[in-house]
Amino acid sequence: MSEYELLDSGNLEKLERFGPYVLRRPDPQALWEPRQSSILWDTCDAWFERKGEKGTWHFNKELPEGWEIPYGGFTFLIRPTSFKHVGLFPEQIENWEWVAKQKAKNVLNLFAYTGGATLAVASVGASVTHVDASKTAVEWARKNAELSGLTDAPVRWIVDDVMKFVHREIKRGTRYDGIILDPPAFGHGPKDELWKIEEDLVPLMQKCRELVSDTPTFVLMNGYASGYSHYAFEHLLEPLLKTHGGSVEGGELTIQEKESTRLLPAGIYARWTAN
């Protein structure tokens, strides 16, 4: 039995099992009616109530502060946060498998959060530069690497504002074979630098094109709650075709419900690859 399951979704919520615990969280994509009975939903171990930008977890039983589950060949620390996230984005397994197959030697992971993509490329021998503005997220990612047996993998763990870091890397002449980005719609850097996707994403992508090596392997963009279509992300990657050839593709990431064919939309992606 998988350690993660989407048990049901609907009424703007999702019901998930992470290891031994069942969590109920808001999800704006779940516009339909739930399939399962209200009894299953009401007997969850914890549920999240949104209040403004953050929210509150309510517990029907005592849960540990964090617990570990295997997923996608790695081990993740699960921990409910005030932003409803728990440190694992199950829909990303498709992208982890894809980046691992690209065989890049030197990868930059921006907005890297708890490090699923970092683990994926590090596990196949890539050197990784993992960048996130949150010290807590970077420490969490390092813990996931430790739990996954990748403590000694060649990963640089960096707490920094993404835009500032990218500018410095360009000045240093650093280049990467692969770049991964998962930009939020809105955020703050470690020194309260402001990130707005509608203002900052295009300049960031222009700079990222300066960071790719002469023989790059891939660029992957993820989007969650940004309001954009995957076609918009694909078009941002098209300038790479003029310089390096290859191909661009995109689509939606989804999670399939247990005992159902229904898919819960969980974000978008766009990928450029040299092959």
Side-chain angles (χ1 to χ4, degrees):
M1 183 172 61
S2 171
E3 287 300 305
Y4 169 81
E5 292 177 320
L6 175 61
L7 302 177
D8 197 14
S9 61
N11 293 340
L12 303 179
E13 291 186 293
K14 56 187 173 184
L15 189 69
E16 301 164 289
R17 183 178 64 81
F18 294 89
Y21 303 111
V22 175
L23 307 181
R24 179 175 178 174
R25 298 189 286 166
D27 195 300
Q29 296 286 344
L31 300 174
W32 44 83
E33 295 181 4
R35 293 180 181 272
Q36 304 294 335
S37 71
S38 59
I39 296 175
L40 178 64
W41 285 79
D42 292 341
T43 54
C44 65
D45 296 309
W47 59 280
F48 184 87
E49 180 185 14
R50 184 173 296 285
K51 293 181 178 179
E53 293 184 1
K54 297 185 179 181
T56 302
W57 283 93
H58 302 273
F59 299 93
N60 292 327
K61 65 184 291 187
E62 185 175 353
L63 266 64
E65 181 180 347
W67 62 96
E68 301 163 15
I69 69 166
Y71 185 74
F74 309 107
T75 300
F76 291 88
L77 174 65
I78 305 300
R79 189 166 60 204
T81 71
S82 61
F83 293 96
K84 87 172 181 178
H85 301 307
V86 297
L88 173 64
F89 293 84
E91 70 279 0
Q92 289 293 331
I93 190 170
E94 177 184 336
N95 278 330
W96 302 341
E97 293 171 349
W98 185 84
V99 295
K101 292 177 181 177
Q102 304 312 306
K103 303 298 184 182
K105 296 179 180 179
N106 188 16
V107 177
L108 174 63
N109 190 6
L110 300 173
F111 308 102
Y113 196 44
T114 52
T118 294
L119 303 183
V121 288
S123 69
V124 293
S127 297
V128 190
T129 300
H130 175 110
V131 184
D132 198 280
S134 167
K135 182 179 179 181
T136 299
V138 173
E139 290 175 349
W140 198 338
R142 294 189 74 157
K143 180 63 176 179
N144 288 336
E146 177 187 335
L147 294 172
S148 300
L150 293 169
T151 302
D152 297 327
V155 180
R156 287 197 298 160
W157 305 100
I158 302 205
V159 179
D160 202 351
D161 175 73
V162 162
M163 291 291 284
K164 288 183 176 179
F165 178 80
V166 165
H167 278 88
R168 284 198 295 271
E169 288 289 87
I170 291 171
K171 290 181 179 179
R172 286 190 283 253
T174 310
R175 298 293 181 264
Y176 296 92
D177 301 319
I179 298 179
I180 302 167
L181 307 94
D182 197 348
F186 180 84
H188 291 278
K191 296 182 180 179
D192 212 31
E193 300 94 339
L194 184 62
W195 166 270
K196 290 184 178 180
I197 195 168
E198 66 273 18
E199 297 177 5
D200 298 319
L201 183 57
V202 171
L204 176 61
M205 291 308 299
Q206 291 170 341
K207 293 300 179 183
C208 283
R209 292 201 296 270
E210 297 182 45
L211 280 177
V212 297
S213 66
D214 292 336
T215 55
T217 302
F218 75 87
V219 176
L220 167 66
M221 295 180 65
N222 289 299
Y224 176 78
S226 64
Y228 295 125
S229 163
H230 65 85
Y231 292 112
F233 278 18
E234 288 179 51
H235 298 330
L236 277 173
L237 296 180
E238 286 174 354
L240 290 165
L241 298 174
K242 298 178 181 179
T243 308
H244 302 286
S247 61
V248 172
E249 64 176 359
E252 287 194 53
L253 298 170
T254 61
I255 307 172
Q256 184 173 337
E257 290 180 355
K258 180 185 179 184
E259 300 177 355
S260 167
T261 58
R262 187 162 64 184
L263 300 175
L264 176 65
I268 61 172
Y269 71 88
R271 306 164 177 159
W272 170 83
T273 178
N275 300 321

